[in-house]
Amino acid sequence: MLIKADVRTSLETNQPVVALESTVIAHGLPRPQNLETARRLEEIVREGGAVPATVAMLAGEPRVGLERSDLEFLAHNPEIKKLSVRDLAIAMARHWNGATTVASTIWIAHRAGIKVFATGGIGGIHRGSLPDVSADLPELARTPMIVVCSGPKVVLDLPATREWLETNSITVAGYECDEMPAFYSRESGLPIDVRFDSPEEAVEIYRAQRELALNSALLVTLPVPREAEVQAKLLNRVLADSLDQAEREKIGGRDLTPFLLAQMSARSDGATLRANIALLENNARIAARIARALL
Ligand code: PSU
Ligand code: MN
């Protein structure tokens, strides 16, 4: 694993670091917003007083912290693979270039010694009769990190995903909110386990988890900023149409989530894309504050 010099120095001197994923760059957002957002997220983490560590696999080597040119490569190259944990060994042995999902990013970041990770929405249990469960979930269950996100992606079966989190002892906190947010939407009708109104409260619970020798993540959920939220009526329509389209085209496996995100953006005139970028930025900002509070 190659840890970028500034990330390594920060970790060695106990300075704040925030890990970021790369699937959202390569497969979650369209060009040119993907590269702009990748850069902006790193900038926001820096402005927040922490060092950003975007994770990816380049030529078969797990990388923690990327150069500007690496971000560009990931954003512009259509050959970049979407790598979950099951793919990491294949990618390494075969010298692939790949973007890491939430699952594979936290796998690598935790082993690099990073404690805080920020993303948009986590994977979960998809709707439909086939139990398609994202590898994000079991990885969250066995990775003791603070994961800052806006809840599970709204394309998922949210009640089933919430139940899975509970069954697998993943503590779900709401940051300045009283219910679990659902990605583009501030509301899900689903409960959180605890509310935080400051980064210090997140740190207290994280420390208590470590004291108890718990291995699961602390999921800190933040609602999309109000001005960027996608209104329920529009969201329900584009979501239903996108799910239908995926079924008609028989899209499944690793392609399903990127397909649904692209469909919803096209069908909402970019409203979901704007929400996605706004929540990613907001999550990176709060993640940096939490990483600083950990000192
Ligand atoms: N958050 C976003 N956009 C994304 C993702 C998260 O705002 O594209 C990615 C993450 O990398 C997450 C993945 O791990 O979607 C989930 O994919 P799947 O459902 O195939 O596990
Ligand atoms: Mn899946």
Side-chain angles (χ1 to χ4, degrees):
M1 157 174 353
L2 187 66
I3 304 180
K4 193 169 168 244
D6 59 345
V7 176
R8 180 177 293 283
T9 308
S10 284
L11 290 170
E12 282 169 0
T13 55
N14 258 319
Q15 296 301 302
V17 175
V18 174
L20 300 166
E21 55 141 323
S22 47
T23 292
V24 63
I25 307 171
H27 306 100
L29 300 170
R31 288 192 220 178
Q33 290 91 338
N34 59 349
L35 179 58
E36 285 161 19
T37 306
R39 289 190 173 144
R40 183 77 193 114
L41 295 180
E42 292 205 345
E43 204 174 281
I44 287 169
V45 169
R46 281 210 178 85
E47 284 165 6
V51 173
T54 306
V55 172
M57 176 82 79
L58 295 177
E61 182 164 43
R63 300 276 293 265
V64 180
L66 300 177
E67 304 294 341
R68 279 179 80 82
S69 56
D70 299 328
L71 290 180
E72 229 170 86
F73 177 69
L74 288 166
H76 291 163
N77 185 341
E79 310 284 292
I80 298 293
K81 295 191 163 58
K82 173 178 165 183
L83 306 176
S84 194
V85 178
R86 71 181 189 278
D87 308 302
L88 287 177
I90 309 173
M92 219 162 158
R94 307 231 160 138
H95 310 290
W96 286 352
N97 295 309
T100 49
T101 63
V102 169
S104 48
T105 300
I106 61 176
W107 175 276
I108 293 170
H110 174 58
R111 280 149 192 89
I114 300 175
K115 299 186 177 111
V116 182
F117 163 68
T119 185
I122 58 166
I125 303 177
H126 278 278
R127 301 172 194 228
S129 50
L130 174 73
D132 176 346
V133 181
S134 173
D136 289 357
L137 290 180
E139 228 43 72
L140 288 167
R142 59 182 173 210
T143 309
M145 282 181 79
I146 298 176
V147 173
V148 183
C149 66
S150 296
K153 282 196 264 298
V154 68
V155 302
L156 300 164
D157 181 334
L158 295 173
T161 302
R162 182 67 189 88
E163 290 295 337
W164 200 102
L165 292 165
E166 176 181 325
T167 304
N168 291 277
S169 308
I170 297 161
T171 301
V172 179
Y175 197 93
E176 293 177 347
C177 62
D178 294 301
E179 59 179 278
M180 188 181 76
F183 201 43
Y184 304 143
S185 166
R186 294 175 59 90
E187 280 153 36
S188 67
L190 295 165
I192 52 171
D193 300 313
V194 60
R195 176 184 165 123
F196 299 153
D197 290 284
S198 69
E200 288 73 26
E201 288 172 282
V203 170
E204 279 169 13
I205 306 274
Y206 172 80
R207 294 232 162 93
Q209 286 184 319
R210 303 295 76 81
E211 214 167 296
L212 288 160
L214 289 165
N215 267 323
S216 44
L218 173 57
L219 199 67
V220 180
T221 62
L222 273 73
V224 57
R226 225 173 265 285
E227 63 281 6
E229 182 180 27
V230 182
Q231 288 317 305
K233 214 173 135 200
L234 174 64
L235 182 56
N236 290 338
R237 178 170 59 78
V238 301
L239 177 55
D241 292 348
S242 304
L243 289 166
D244 284 348
Q245 187 76 27
E247 202 168 297
R248 271 198 300 276
E249 295 190 30
K250 299 199 168 35
I251 309 285
R254 75 177 88 237
D255 299 330
L256 181 56
T257 296
F259 178 87
L260 291 172
L261 297 181
Q263 281 284 320
M264 285 193 291
S265 172
R267 291 168 187 276
S268 68
D269 280 323
T272 62
L273 176 59
R274 288 188 291 278
N276 204 343
I277 293 171
L279 65 87
L280 280 162
E281 293 183 354
N282 193 42
N283 296 349
R285 194 169 57 78
I286 299 299
R289 290 184 55 193
I290 294 174
R292 280 186 51 188
L294 264 173
L295 297 186

